[in-house]
Amino acid sequence: MILTKLSRFLCVAFAGAIVAAALVGCAGTQSATNDAQTENRQYMAALNQGMDELANKLDSFNDAVTRNDVVSMRTQAEKAFKQIDKIEAIEAPEALADVKEGYIEGCLMLESALGQYIDLYTQLDSGAVTADSEEYANALADIQANYDSGIAKLEETDKLALGL
C-alpha cells in the first residue's frame, strides 16, 4: 500500500527537522537568538505533533483500504484533510516560512493522491473499472506518481530544514 511508507517516513523525517529547528536562528543578540530558537523549536514541535496525527489518520485510511471499505476510506480521508488544514494553520516563524511552505505543498500532494485513490476505489466498487484492467493499472500508477511526488517534496523540505 502506498501509504505505509508515509508513516515510517514521517516519524524519521520530523525527528530530524526538530533537531534542525533547534539549530536555526544563531544570528543577532543572545536574547534575540534565544527567542528565535524558541519560536523555531515551538513551531517544529507543533508541526511534528501535527504530522504524527496525520500519520495516524493515514494509517486509518490504509486500514479502510485493506477492508475495501470505500465509505470508511472517505471518512478517514476527510479526517486526514482536516489534519492537513490544522498543520497549515500552524504559524511559522519567518525563518521557517520556506520550511512550512514545503511541508504544506507535500501534504497537499498527498491529499490529492488520497482523493484520486478514493475515486479509483469508488469506480472499482461500482464496477466501472476492474482490478485487472489496464485502466485500473494506469490510474494506480498515476496515483503512485503523485504520492511519490508528495513524499519527495517532504524529503526535500526536510533537507531544507536540516540545512538551516
Side-chain angles (χ1 to χ4, degrees):
M1 172 67 205
I2 60 175
L3 298 177
T4 306
K5 292 180 191 175
L6 179 63
S7 295
R8 287 186 218 131
F9 169 76
L10 292 176
C11 291
V12 173
F14 292 103
I18 287 176
V19 171
L23 301 175
V24 173
C26 294
T29 67
Q30 186 63 32
S31 178
T33 299
N34 288 340
D35 290 346
Q37 287 175 343
T38 298
E39 287 179 14
N40 293 338
R41 279 192 296 271
Q42 288 172 343
Y43 171 72
M44 293 306 294
L47 179 63
N48 185 48
Q49 180 180 356
M51 294 303 284
D52 283 345
E53 290 175 22
L54 177 60
N56 289 334
K57 304 226 184 303
L58 293 175
D59 284 343
S60 295
F61 178 86
N62 191 33
D63 290 341
V65 169
T66 60
R67 295 188 316 271
N68 293 320
D69 184 349
V70 177
V71 173
S72 291
M73 287 170 56
R74 287 177 205 258
T75 301
Q76 298 308 323
E78 283 301 318
K79 289 179 181 180
F81 299 160
K82 287 179 183 175
Q83 185 60 38
I84 290 171
D85 290 343
K86 288 180 183 178
I87 292 167
E88 193 170 8
I90 301 170
E91 202 159 321
E94 188 176 323
L96 296 176
D98 290 342
V99 170
K100 177 181 179 173
E101 183 179 316
Y103 284 124
I104 295 304
E105 187 177 332
C107 285
L108 293 176
M109 289 175 178
L110 295 177
E111 183 177 311
S112 175
L114 283 181
Q116 292 171 324
Y117 202 74
I118 290 169
D119 290 344
L120 180 60
Y121 259 76
T122 300
Q123 291 176 6
L124 191 62
D125 193 44
S126 71
V129 67
T130 60
D132 61 351
S133 70
E134 185 176 333
E135 181 182 0
Y136 175 82
N138 290 338
L140 197 56
D142 288 345
I143 294 166
Q144 184 68 51
N146 289 340
Y147 174 83
D148 290 344
S149 293
I151 292 295
K153 184 62 179 179
L154 293 174
E155 290 172 342
E156 175 186 315
T157 304
D158 278 342
K159 289 177 185 172
L160 174 66
L162 289 172
L164 297 175

